[in-house]
Amino acid sequence: MAIVDVVVIPVGTEGPSVSKYVAEIQTKLEEFKKDGKIDYQLTPMNTLIEGDLKDLFEVVQAIHELPFNKGLDRVCTNIRIDDRRDKTRKMNDKLKSVEKHLK
């Protein structure tokens, strides 16, 4: 299982707010979650998505396309992939691993 840190940046919006684009992305991610392909977590600066790497690339492509579907001519998407294959772990497992060292 891999984790992707993704930021979709719509360029050429009417104003500085992009929250309506972020909301649409979250709605799309929820569809993928209901299909059992991913889990995800929205943060103030990005979205974390976990799942099979093949599925994650499909998801990233789908959410990258959403602002284009709203009429924008440019979208910049940044992704960072954490793909650890020696053991299976989820996003929360990584947090727990750090938290145990804080006690």
Side-chain angles (χ1 to χ4, degrees), residues 85-99:
R85 297 187 178 179
D86 63 325
K87 64 181 179 178
T88 302
R89 86 278 181 268
K90 295 186 172 247
M91 291 183 287
N92 286 335
D93 295 334
K94 290 181 74 168
L95 294 175
K96 289 175 186 172
S97 180
V98 172
E99 289 169 354

Side-chain angles (χ1 to χ4, degrees), residues 53-87:
L53 190 58
K54 180 174 111 4
D55 292 333
L56 293 175
F57 283 126
E58 175 189 352
V59 170
V60 169
Q61 182 176 4
I63 64 175
H64 174 80
E65 290 295 326
L66 291 174
F68 287 115
N69 296 339
K70 293 291 187 193
L72 294 183
D73 292 323
R74 186 174 184 188
V75 176
C76 299
T77 297
N78 298 327
I79 63 171
R80 190 169 48 160
I81 301 168
D82 180 357
D83 186 10
R84 185 170 177 179
R85 297 187 178 179
D86 63 325
K87 64 181 179 178

Side-chain angles (χ1 to χ4, degrees), residues 5-91:
D5 169 353
V6 62
V7 179
V8 178
I9 306 162
V11 178
T13 60
E14 310 98 37
S17 176
V18 294
S19 59
K20 71 179 182 180
Y21 296 97
V22 173
E24 183 179 23
I25 288 167
Q26 299 305 301
T27 300
K28 185 59 142 178
L29 292 173
E30 188 61 29
E31 292 174 18
F32 280 104
K33 182 176 181 175
K34 286 181 181 175
D35 289 342
K37 289 189 171 188
I38 64 160
D39 195 9
Y40 68 95
Q41 179 180 346
L42 174 66
T43 81
M45 297 292 293
N46 63 359
T47 300
L48 302 171
I49 311 169
E50 67 181 13
D52 181 72
L53 190 58
K54 180 174 111 4
D55 292 333
L56 293 175
F57 283 126
E58 175 189 352
V59 170
V60 169
Q61 182 176 4
I63 64 175
H64 174 80
E65 290 295 326
L66 291 174
F68 287 115
N69 296 339
K70 293 291 187 193
L72 294 183
D73 292 323
R74 186 174 184 188
V75 176
C76 299
T77 297
N78 298 327
I79 63 171
R80 190 169 48 160
I81 301 168
D82 180 357
D83 186 10
R84 185 170 177 179
R85 297 187 178 179
D86 63 325
K87 64 181 179 178
T88 302
R89 86 278 181 268
K90 295 186 172 247
M91 291 183 287

